[in-house]
Amino acid sequence: MENTVKENKPIDKKMNESARITGGVSEDELRDIAHKLGERVKELNCLYSISRLAEERGSPVDEILRRVVDLMPPAWQYPEVTCARINLKNSQFQTANFEETKWRQAETITVNGESYGTIEVFYLEGRPESDEGPFLKEERNLIHVVGERLGNIIEHRLAEESLHSLYEEEKKLRERLEAEMQGRIVFTRNLIHELKTPLTSLLATSQLLLDEEKNKELEKLTQYVWEGANSLNNRIDELHDIVKGEIGKLELNLKPLNLGKLLVSLVEEIKPLASQHGVATYLKMDEPLPQAYADAGRVRQIMLNLLNNVFRYAAEGGRVDILATAKGDFVEVEVSDHGPGIAEPLQPHIFESGYQTAPHAKSSGGLGIGLALCKLLAERHSGKIWVRSQLGKGSSFFFTLPLLKGRHTKATGRHK
């Protein structure tokens, strides 16, 4: 007897513990609680599976929706008689057993703030009445959350597809542009070669004629030939420089530069050209002018292009002023004329390749690349170029070059 009592004590203890936990809840109530918990687990499994689908990279929207529609019925209270359908603007997805009935529950799918479609759940046969016909309020919440989730997935995937489409389009445009640029480079290189070959011979021949010719009239004509050929040779070189600059292959030989000495030499060099245009040239600069850090040949190119330009527009009997001033870590060079000036709407365009200003110049035509080359060379020196002009009052062209001392200051980390 004692043994029997001892053996029953653990059992009684467990029964007492269960009674304490359930608090007198009946078996029917426990079954109902267990059923509801099971339904919530099904709903959570559905949402979890949809989240996993959304995380899959590379899956198209159609494939995701096709799989989502099959995840819906098992999450409802009566999966054996449940079917589902997703209706979008241009497509439809439904379970294999789909049949439209009067027992329907639906939710709008919203994408980017607009209705994009609906998600529907049907019972194939009548079920006991519940919160929403035969459907539970928890199922209303579930279909609402699924609708929101699908809207987010579709919105995200559409944005990805749009971005990918734009990327592919940009890639094709870039490839086409690169092909066109390469074609242009090849064409320009061939063109320069074709022009340079006979021109080199013409320059050499005309120079020999100048050296040998004693007849003053013929010497004059030979001079014209040489000057024309030399001018054409310079234009070809400028065109070549523009093309090299556009593809990032224009190189500079940067060294300490006595800019004052260069400017004095240039003023002497251009006196005959200035005289032809009836213009006097005046140079003013800081004394002493600090050394620049630049490519002397390229700076000379900038100045000659600017001077040639202002000579064409300067008024007869007028003057051209050159001013060089140190400003901070740069030297600023100004070339001014007293010609007709440039209208304000035209000023932003004058440094564009191929652009030519109003027909006030003494000589027209040309490729319109001189000022574009000036801009390219100034910027390659880490400087800039600009113009100020008023109609009837002339134009002033400015460009900057880095000073040698400014470069040293930056390199050592010292500041003024």
Side-chain angles (χ1 to χ4, degrees):
M1 191 69 174
E2 287 181 6
N3 290 338
T4 304
V5 171
K6 286 181 181 180
E7 288 176 1
N8 287 339
K9 278 184 179 180
I11 297 174
D12 291 342
K13 186 177 181 181
K14 288 180 181 180
M15 290 178 65
N16 291 335
E17 183 68 19
S18 298
R20 187 181 66 79
I21 292 173
T22 57
V25 177
S26 67
E27 289 186 10
D28 288 343
E29 289 174 321
L30 287 174
R31 278 194 293 269
D32 183 56
I33 291 171
H35 174 73
K36 288 179 179 179
L37 286 173
E39 293 300 310
R40 301 302 80 76
V41 170
K42 286 163 39 178
E43 293 162 8
L44 289 173
N45 283 337
C46 176
L47 293 175
Y48 175 73
S49 298
I50 293 173
S51 296
R52 292 292 300 273
L53 285 176
E55 291 171 1
E56 290 183 6
R57 293 187 176 274
S59 296
V61 174
D62 286 2
E63 176 61 25
I64 292 174
L65 296 178
R66 189 174 292 108
R67 292 163 69 180
V68 167
V69 82
D70 288 328
L71 290 172
M72 301 293 289
W76 259 250
Q77 187 175 193
Y78 306 106
E80 67 280 0
V81 293
T82 305
C83 62
R85 175 172 66 184
I86 296 175
N87 280 314
L88 300 183
K89 290 181 177 180
N90 301 314
S91 55
Q92 186 179 91
F93 308 89
Q94 59 189 39
T95 54
N97 66 336
F98 181 78
E99 181 182 335
E100 194 168 324
T101 69
K102 64 180 181 179
W103 302 289
R104 173 180 179 267
Q105 194 174 40
E107 180 67 31
T108 300
I109 299 172
T110 303
V111 176
N112 294 320
E114 296 182 359
S115 175
Y116 195 81
T118 58
I119 180 167
E120 301 170 294
V121 174
F122 293 87
Y123 280 150
L124 300 175
E125 57 185 56
R127 295 284 98 179
E129 286 294 312
S130 188
D131 305 301
E132 190 174 306
F135 299 100
L136 302 171
K137 66 178 181 180
E138 288 83 5
E139 290 168 342
R140 160 54 55 194
N141 293 335
L142 176 60
I143 198 171
H144 175 72
V145 173
V146 171
E148 280 189 339
R149 189 74 178 115
L150 289 182
N152 292 335
I153 291 171
I154 294 169
E155 189 173 316
H156 182 69
R157 290 306 168 98
L158 289 178
E160 281 186 344
E161 290 172 7
S162 176
L163 186 62
H164 180 73
S165 176
L166 288 172
Y167 170 77
E168 290 298 323
E169 185 177 348
E170 187 272 339
K171 183 180 176 183
K172 290 177 182 177
L173 287 173
R174 187 175 67 250
E175 289 173 350
R176 191 171 70 186
L177 179 61
E178 287 174 353
E180 289 176 358
M181 286 183 65
Q182 187 60 37
R184 179 183 173 186
I185 293 166
V186 172
F187 172 78
T188 306
R189 188 182 294 124
N190 291 338
L191 175 64
I192 289 170
H193 176 74
E194 291 296 319
L195 292 174
K196 280 277 194 178
T197 301
L199 189 58
T200 302
S201 176
L202 181 59
L203 281 167
T205 303
S206 59
Q207 185 63 56
L208 284 173
L209 284 172
L210 276 175
D211 294 341
E212 298 295 331
E213 186 54 58
K214 304 304 178 185
N215 184 304
K216 293 296 181 183
E217 189 62 31
L218 288 178
E219 183 182 0
K220 189 176 181 181
L221 292 174
T222 304
Q223 180 72 30
Y224 290 154
V225 172
W226 184 86
E227 288 176 356
N230 191 56
S231 177
L232 179 57
N233 188 57
N234 290 336
R235 297 293 81 74
I236 293 171
D237 287 339
E238 288 177 352
L239 176 62
H240 196 197
D241 285 338
I242 286 285
V243 173
K244 287 194 291 186
E246 288 179 349
I247 61 175
K249 292 188 177 180
L250 183 65
E251 296 181 357
L252 299 181
N253 183 23
L254 298 174
K255 292 180 179 179
L257 171 65
N258 188 330
L259 183 60
K261 185 177 179 180
L262 177 74
L263 292 176
V264 170
S265 173
L266 270 173
V267 169
E268 289 298 315
E269 181 183 337
I270 61 169
K271 274 185 178 178
L273 181 61
S275 180
Q276 286 181 20
H277 289 275
V279 176
T281 306
Y282 298 89
L283 171 63
K284 184 179 179 182
M285 55 187 172
D286 288 349
E287 291 291 348
L289 188 66
Q291 277 193 313
Y293 187 70
D295 184 324
R298 297 303 187 181
V299 174
R300 186 174 179 279
Q301 223 175 341
I302 295 173
M303 286 298 301
L304 287 175
N305 269 300
L306 289 179
L307 289 167
N308 271 308
N309 187 72
V310 298
F311 286 163
R312 290 170 60 202
Y313 290 89
E316 285 225 8
R319 60 186 283 165
V320 168
D321 294 293
I322 302 170
L323 176 65
T325 311
K327 293 187 176 182
D329 291 334
F330 290 84
V331 59
E332 180 182 285
V333 181
E334 175 185 354
V335 180
S336 301
D337 65 52
H338 298 272
I342 304 167
E344 188 172 345
L346 304 180
Q347 292 177 26
H349 304 288
I350 64 172
F351 295 105
E352 295 173 3
S353 183
Y355 185 82
Q356 296 186 27
T357 52
H360 298 295
K362 295 179 182 178
S363 59
S364 59
L367 295 173
I369 60 174
L371 291 179
L373 181 58
C374 289
K375 181 176 185 291
L376 174 66
L377 292 175
E379 290 177 350
R380 285 301 306 274
H381 278 89
S382 300
K384 58 181 181 177
I385 191 167
W386 68 98
V387 65
R388 292 178 189 154
S389 183
Q390 284 183 291
L391 287 177
K393 295 187 178 181
S395 303
S396 294
F397 290 85
F398 303 81
F399 71 93
T400 59
L401 297 170
L403 290 175
L404 181 62
K405 65 176 182 180
R407 178 176 175 270
H408 179 68
T409 299
K410 290 176 182 177
T412 58
R414 296 198 301 270
H415 299 278
K416 295 180 180 180

